[in-house]
Amino acid sequence: MIPPAVTVADPQRFGTVFDTHYQEIRRYIGRRLDLSVAEDLAAETFLIAFRQRHRFDPAQGSVRPWLYGIATKLIGRHRRSELRRYRALARTGPPPDDDAHDQRVVDRITAAATVSRLSAALAALSKGERDVVLLVAYGGLSYDEVAAALGIANGTVASRLNRARAKLQKSLGVT
């Protein structure tokens, strides 16, 4: 097995980083922004990572949170679109799906109210709180990985997530 630091630093082996993490990063971006933007931003994430590979410090963590940090910063540039999307979902509900009709109808009826309320609640969070929540929920990152991805302290991750959970529970009427 090639050590991650060598893979990131070596332009000839950087393809391994891309092959290993591209789909995960694209899915994360697609959940945060419109799917039509996800491919482009995922590609841009890896382009930036390749150009800045000399900045990767394996002592700070693995490649995965580093890539999520780059992706999250790119998403930040598209923040207004993200907020508009959450506000639109809050007004209109989830977009239609192309899966099996009968099951999708049942799922959409069940989820419509929740999606609307959750989208409104996510839009009401601060940028920092929303980034932490979505890195944990969509990316499946640990507190340490979120801290590394956003360049913040673990305690900041914990406090933002705690505040966000309280706000989301209040908005969704969960106790």
Side-chain angles (χ1 to χ4, degrees):
M1 170 128 185
I2 302 167
V6 172
T7 306
V8 172
D10 183 352
Q12 301 302 319
R13 294 185 176 163
F14 191 83
T16 304
V17 173
F18 180 87
D19 293 342
T20 304
H21 299 286
Y22 177 79
Q23 290 299 327
E24 181 180 357
I25 296 296
R26 186 191 56 74
R27 279 191 304 272
Y28 168 69
I29 295 169
R31 289 175 172 170
R32 297 276 317 258
L33 299 172
D34 193 56
L35 287 176
S36 64
V37 178
E39 290 286 334
D40 290 339
L41 285 183
E44 190 174 347
T45 297
F46 284 90
L47 178 62
I48 290 169
F50 181 78
R51 287 180 177 160
Q52 296 181 357
R53 65 189 181 278
H54 62 280
R55 292 185 179 176
F56 174 69
D57 181 4
Q60 296 296 316
S62 72
V63 172
R64 185 174 178 247
W66 180 62
L67 293 170
Y68 271 98
I70 294 169
T72 299
K73 287 176 186 168
L74 288 172
I75 289 168
R77 294 181 188 163
H78 289 80
R79 182 73 54 205
R80 288 195 306 243
S81 295
E82 180 184 41
L83 288 174
R84 282 193 301 268
R85 180 172 180 253
Y86 284 133
R87 289 180 181 135
L89 280 173
R91 287 189 307 273
T92 64
D97 289 320
D98 295 331
D99 294 342
H101 178 70
D102 294 344
Q103 185 59 45
R104 297 315 309 158
V105 168
V106 171
D107 290 347
R108 280 184 49 79
I109 290 170
T110 303
T114 303
V115 168
S116 177
R117 290 175 38 222
L118 181 58
S119 296
L122 286 170
L125 295 176
S126 73
K127 173 192 178 306
E129 292 166 344
R130 189 171 39 256
D131 284 344
V132 168
V133 166
L134 296 178
L135 282 168
V136 170
Y138 288 166
L141 271 63
S142 68
Y143 283 29
D144 291 339
E145 290 173 322
V146 172
L150 299 177
I152 59 177
N154 285 6
T156 303
V157 171
S159 64
R160 286 181 184 177
L161 192 56
N162 187 47
R163 281 193 310 269
R165 282 180 179 153
K167 289 178 183 179
L168 291 171
Q169 287 174 342
K170 183 177 178 182
S171 294
L172 299 174
V174 177
T175 55

